[in-house]
Amino acid sequence: MTTTSKISAAFVHPSSHSPLLFGITHPNTRQSSNLLQSLPSSLFPEDNKIDHFLPVIDEMNIAALNFPLENPKESTKSVGNIKFNEGKCAMYNGMSFSLASTLNVPSGQTEQRQNFNYPVEVIGHRGSLYSALENTSKSFIDAAKAGADGVELDVFLLKCGTLVVFHGSGGDEEPGLLHQYCKVEGSILDYTAAEARNLLTFNKNYAEFGCGPDKITHPGDQDHYCYVETLEEVLKNLRDHPEVPSNFSIKIELKGPGTALPAVQLVQKLNMTHRCHYSSFEHSRIAEVREHDPSVITGALFADDIPDDFVERSIAAGATEIHLKYDTCTSDRIQRIHAAGLRSMAWLRGPIGMKDDVTSKYFDVGNEDETMYDVLLRSGVQSICGNRPEVIVKVVESQGRRINWTAGSSFDEEKKSEDWTLIALKT
């Protein structure tokens, strides 16, 4: 039996100034009734009539209840504990239900939008993980075919001394765990590269694999591609594939310990330094990369808790870019990054995390749809690393902000041009 779960968001209609109070209906939210009961009764119509249901994400529905504002001429309202901004979602007890509000960017409805005119780099997060299994050569090549400018991948150094491309569960605090990914206990670090390739199979029913079970192969299947690849295999496949452009960039996230020097040495051996960038949440790893090769592009990764001195910390580590979780890319943070002469990138969570965000936190956007990417671009960010590169490409192209590659140019050369960097500082 489905019950009203919680008050999730409220919008002020820009013409009538009549806000809609939204309550998500979902069968498994115990906390909802307490939150609903805590709202003042003045928020609801006398008969508590539900005007209509709006279909939203997956199997969930939103029940919309109408109620008037006392003074419709004012743009900011407070009714009980809920604060309304015209054209934006509500804040309830300090929680924002709008990605636009969270990023402090125009909603696109009633506010003047700032038009950024510098190009945007499109990066496939773990490749194109809705078309093929993440962190495989097929996924990376699919991202290139979709028009992405590059991909992001995750690497671990195994006990045999080989770098492999793998993510695993456990989050950024304890990455590489196998229980959800492969239905076995332990970590990818417990294996040699040969063991990981031959013994591990991927859990077809794991929701993090956006491609779905039908596109995950096991040994013996025709066109089997779902195995743990070495970084060298992946780099060679991307370097040599006819449908991957020669300026296609590869962002290597140094996921595990001891990865920095071996990754730099492998990239140098393959003569791919101009195409490979390095990033890590552990900033000492990118500092180590810069010690071995001061010419490379490096990204300082941050998750939810952004320190006030995040720019200074990134510069101290030798970063040339700062990579922020997408919903921390506030316009002021992006401006600070650009003012320091660094590039900015927004990274998105995996499929499970993104689905959770749009069903429990942000109700003004869909799950990596055009609306979400459009809101994110309003922050001024210069690169987006997302799970749906084909959608990012479509949004960026619609704004006339695709990278205009010149014949034979590399990303390094392109990013240093006046058209690329100075426009960002002037806007």
Side-chain angles (χ1 to χ4, degrees), residues 92-406:
Y92 181 78
N93 288 345
M95 294 190 305
S96 174
F97 298 103
S98 162
L99 182 60
S101 296
T102 299
L103 301 184
N104 192 30
V105 300
S107 67
Q109 298 174 357
T110 61
E111 300 176 75
Q112 181 65 39
R113 292 179 51 171
Q114 183 175 5
N115 292 318
F116 298 100
N117 55 358
Y118 48 80
V120 174
E121 184 188 27
V122 178
I123 301 296
H125 183 223
R126 310 177 202 167
S128 179
L129 58 74
Y130 280 97
S131 66
L133 180 67
E134 64 169 50
N135 274 323
T136 60
S137 289
K138 178 172 174 51
S139 181
F140 302 135
I141 292 168
D142 281 357
K145 292 178 180 179
D149 303 301
V151 290
E152 178 269 354
L153 53 81
D154 309 281
V155 299
F156 288 89
L157 182 69
L158 300 193
K159 60 185 183 181
C160 60
T162 302
L163 290 164
V164 296
V165 179
F166 186 77
H167 189 276
S169 51
D172 297 309
E173 298 78 17
E174 195 178 8
L177 298 184
L178 300 173
H179 177 66
Q180 293 171 306
Y181 263 59
C182 303
K183 294 198 292 187
V184 296
E185 297 304 321
S187 164
I188 189 70
L189 298 175
D190 300 331
Y191 292 74
T192 66
E195 290 170 342
R197 184 186 187 108
N198 296 320
L199 299 179
L200 296 178
T201 57
F202 290 92
N203 178 6
K204 289 191 174 189
N205 297 315
Y206 186 34
E208 186 73 356
F209 299 148
C211 64
D214 293 342
K215 294 183 180 179
I216 297 178
T217 63
H218 283 171
D221 292 342
Q222 187 177 8
D223 299 323
H224 177 48
Y225 74 97
C226 297
Y227 47 83
V228 178
E229 296 182 70
T230 67
L231 178 60
E232 184 167 2
E233 285 179 279
V234 168
L235 292 180
K236 286 180 176 179
N237 287 338
L238 292 176
R239 182 192 64 187
D240 300 336
H241 197 281
E243 294 181 88
V244 177
S246 61
N247 47 25
F248 192 74
S249 63
I250 302 149
K251 292 186 178 291
I252 302 172
E253 183 181 340
L254 305 171
K255 209 73 175 170
T259 48
L261 179 57
V264 173
Q265 291 174 334
L266 174 61
V267 167
Q268 290 174 339
K269 183 184 82 169
L270 298 176
N271 194 28
M272 295 181 69
T273 299
H274 63 294
R275 296 178 61 176
C276 293
H277 314 161
Y278 305 87
S279 65
S280 183
F281 288 99
E282 179 53 61
H283 297 168
S284 63
R285 292 175 190 154
I286 62 174
E288 186 179 355
V289 167
R290 296 284 287 181
E291 288 178 10
H292 295 296
D293 190 346
S295 69
V296 297
I297 294 174
T298 49
L301 276 161
F302 292 90
D304 290 298
D305 297 323
I306 311 296
D308 292 338
D309 61 344
F310 75 100
V311 172
E312 291 75 15
R313 293 190 189 192
S314 302
I315 293 173
T320 60
E321 300 181 345
I322 296 180
H323 302 171
L324 300 180
K325 183 165 166 276
Y326 79 103
D327 57 356
T328 67
C329 290
T330 60
S331 56
D332 59 316
R333 285 188 181 125
I334 298 302
Q335 289 171 13
R336 286 179 59 190
I337 293 171
H338 297 171
L342 306 180
R343 281 185 52 80
S344 60
M345 188 181 85
W347 60 269
L348 284 86
R349 306 174 70 189
I352 292 177
M354 293 309 302
K355 181 177 179 179
D356 180 64
D357 282 356
V358 298
T359 54
S360 64
K361 292 170 65 176
Y362 307 121
F363 300 99
D364 58 335
V365 295
N367 190 354
E368 293 196 68
D369 63 358
E370 293 180 36
T371 304
M372 172 174 279
Y373 289 129
D374 180 57
V375 167
L376 191 50
L377 285 172
R378 294 176 212 162
S379 70
V381 71
Q382 294 167 311
S383 301
I384 297 180
C385 179
N387 303 309
R388 301 182 186 272
E390 72 285 354
V391 181
I392 312 175
V393 167
K394 183 177 180 180
V395 174
V396 171
E397 284 182 340
S398 71
Q399 298 182 10
R401 299 178 62 191
R402 287 286 280 154
I403 294 176
N404 182 21
W405 297 105
T406 55

